[in-house]
Amino acid sequence: VYLGPSGLGLIGQLSSFLAILAIISTGAMNNGIVKNLASIGNSDLFNQQKVIKVALVITFLFTTLTSFALLLFAPLLADLVFGSNSDLNWVFWVLSFVLFFQSLFSLFSSILNGIKAFKVFNLLSIIASISSLFFCLILVYFYGKNGALLALISYQAIVCVFLLFLGKHIPQLKWKVIWEIKFDNTAFISLAKFSLMTMVSAI
């Protein structure tokens, strides 16, 4: 009703692009994080935190590089994704700034899955779904097509507020401890294998 067929088409295009971007910006490690943390087990907090430290570093590097690429190539990406809609360059400029929150949300979800914190994982999924619903409804109602696109790329930034609260109650996510842990090459190689496999699939 509010967007019409062309608006829904743009949403579909952007959703597909975001799915690929989620893989690239996180270093395609999500499956590796789940597998490694589950294999180590929650009884060995230190080794789990080593994996999390490596995942955080790689996610930060990949997200930073991807954000710069989005800033630089916004006009080209607008043409590729939306079909010569130069007035939608702003989507990729905004996305370059909120991408860190999307990557953090994806990383956090993988960690919760890997340590089998399913109650918290489900709670986070519910919060994300409800937040995105209301955020999308409000923006679409007031801003139409542009509001829908903005909602799609930015709702996870709002959910990250809940991430900070939930993270306090999880032993594996003591950020001060993780920060002081040395970068572990063994964990990096293990995650890199999953990353390569996922990247190939994405391409």
Side-chain angles (χ1 to χ4, degrees):
V1 173
Y2 285 96
L3 301 178
S6 62
L8 289 175
L10 292 177
I11 294 293
Q13 286 291 92
L14 184 58
S15 296
S16 298
F17 177 77
L18 289 175
I20 297 170
L21 194 67
I23 295 171
I24 297 169
S25 63
T26 56
M29 294 179 304
N30 290 356
N31 291 334
I33 294 167
V34 175
K35 169 70 167 60
N36 277 270
L37 292 178
S39 297
I40 293 167
N42 292 350
S43 59
D44 190 351
L45 271 182
F46 181 68
N47 278 314
Q48 283 190 329
Q49 286 170 331
K50 282 202 282 189
V51 173
I52 293 170
K53 169 66 178 279
V54 172
L56 274 170
V57 171
I58 294 172
T59 298
F60 178 78
L61 289 173
F62 271 85
T63 302
T64 302
L65 290 171
T66 309
S67 293
F68 277 119
L70 288 170
L71 272 175
L72 290 172
F73 301 109
L76 174 63
L77 290 169
D79 285 347
L80 288 172
V81 176
F82 299 125
S84 300
N85 275 278
S86 57
D87 62 319
L88 294 176
N89 293 351
W90 65 267
V91 171
F92 300 97
W93 291 329
V94 173
L95 186 55
S96 69
F97 288 102
V98 300
L99 187 62
F100 176 76
F101 296 106
Q102 294 196 3
S103 299
L104 187 63
F105 179 84
S106 178
L107 174 63
F108 195 79
S109 297
S110 299
I111 291 169
L112 291 177
N113 222 341
I115 64 176
K116 299 182 175 68
F118 298 124
K119 286 184 179 179
V120 182
F121 178 79
N122 290 334
L123 177 62
L124 182 64
S125 299
I126 292 167
I127 291 170
S129 297
I130 294 173
S131 300
S132 66
L133 172 64
F134 284 103
F135 198 47
C136 187
L137 286 174
I138 292 166
L139 287 176
V140 168
Y141 181 79
F142 287 105
Y143 301 106
K145 175 189 73 177
N146 288 341
L149 295 172
L150 180 60
L152 195 60
I153 62 177
S154 60
Y155 80 90
Q156 286 177 343
I158 296 172
V159 179
C160 277
V161 175
F162 296 100
L163 282 180
L164 296 174
F165 174 75
L166 292 172
K168 290 181 181 179
H169 306 284
I170 297 170
Q172 286 86 344
L173 296 177
K174 301 298 181 187
W175 302 116
K176 188 176 179 181
V177 175
I178 292 170
W179 178 257
E180 293 171 353
I181 293 174
K182 186 180 177 182
F183 189 88
D184 188 75
N185 290 326
T186 305
F188 170 73
I189 292 168
S190 180
L191 288 176
K193 291 176 182 176
F194 282 91
S195 180
L196 180 61
M197 182 170 60
T198 308
M199 283 287 191
V200 170
S201 301
I203 291 167

